[in-house]
Amino acid sequence: IELAARLARKLNEMADTLVEVKIGALIMDPNTNSPIVVLKGVDAETVLPIWVGAFEANAIALEIEKIVPQRPMTHDLLRNLIVECGLRPSRVIVTDLLENTFYALIELFNENDELVSMDARPSDAIALALRLDCPIYVQQKVIDLSAASQGDAGASEDEALQPGEEWPDLIG
């Protein structure tokens, strides 16, 4: 019970610093040929690029395009498991950025309305959020850390991602 109380306090603290985002684009990094999910603020000019794996990018793209595979993919299976176990989706939160690695939580409510939080990679959490139709949030500190790390990378002003800058919209 003490752990649950501490988690509840932590989630309440986070609520003040959360920025709701949506998927603004799914693009390829021309330098590394790696997929990037670009999250854009719903009510703010926040832009957060997250480099993801090819399989996760494909899972996100399939759901965005509403393409139904012949057999359930891993994220579809997890969605079905969540629904069949009686859990209700609450939200996904990108919670941290440590050593160039993003972290996320998937928050669900059980049949007793108790919060169940699961650690996840943001790419998996985003793919699941799309399938569960739940909102995606990013902690403000993650946005700040990402902006600082992009500045530290030595990119010129033209190459650095600026808030509100237009990304190619490849997802329709």
Side-chain angles (χ1 to χ4, degrees):
I1 295 176
E2 183 180 321
L3 178 61
R6 283 193 318 220
L7 180 60
R9 281 193 302 274
K10 179 70 173 168
L11 292 173
N12 286 337
E13 290 170 13
M14 287 186 344
D16 294 334
T17 62
L18 295 179
V19 176
E20 187 172 3
V21 296
K22 63 179 183 173
I23 297 177
L26 184 57
I27 61 175
M28 293 298 285
D29 181 334
N31 298 321
T32 64
N33 206 29
S34 298
I36 304 171
V37 174
V38 181
L39 300 178
K40 288 187 175 183
V42 171
D43 296 325
E45 291 191 10
T46 301
V47 177
L48 180 68
I50 299 178
W51 277 252
V52 300
F55 293 114
E56 292 80 7
N58 184 55
I60 291 167
L62 286 174
E63 189 61 25
I64 289 170
E65 298 295 328
K66 298 298 181 197
I67 297 171
V68 179
Q70 289 182 348
R71 300 290 300 143
M73 302 290 282
T74 304
H75 297 96
D76 302 314
L77 177 64
L78 186 53
R79 179 221 171 264
N80 293 344
L81 182 65
I82 287 168
V83 170
E84 290 300 317
C85 287
L87 297 169
R88 294 183 322 278
S90 172
R91 61 188 178 181
V92 161
I93 307 170
V94 180
T95 58
D96 215 342
L97 174 59
L98 298 169
E99 298 177 11
N100 292 322
T101 300
F102 289 90
Y103 292 82
L105 284 176
I106 300 168
E107 293 185 346
L108 307 161
F109 286 103
N110 66 17
E111 62 278 353
N112 297 324
D113 284 332
E114 297 167 330
L115 184 65
V116 178
S117 294
M118 294 183 286
D119 182 36
R121 296 183 305 178
S123 55
D124 291 326
I126 291 166
L128 194 55
L130 291 172
R131 285 161 174 77
L132 291 169
D133 194 30
C134 70
I136 303 168
Y137 294 90
V138 177
Q139 280 194 327
Q140 182 63 48
K141 74 172 186 174
V142 174
I143 295 163
D144 298 341
L145 287 168
S146 177
S149 70
Q150 287 176 15
D152 292 345
S156 72
E157 190 171 315
D158 292 337
E159 295 170 322
L161 183 63
Q162 301 297 322
E165 180 178 341
E166 287 300 315
W167 281 77
D169 190 4
L170 301 181
I171 60 171

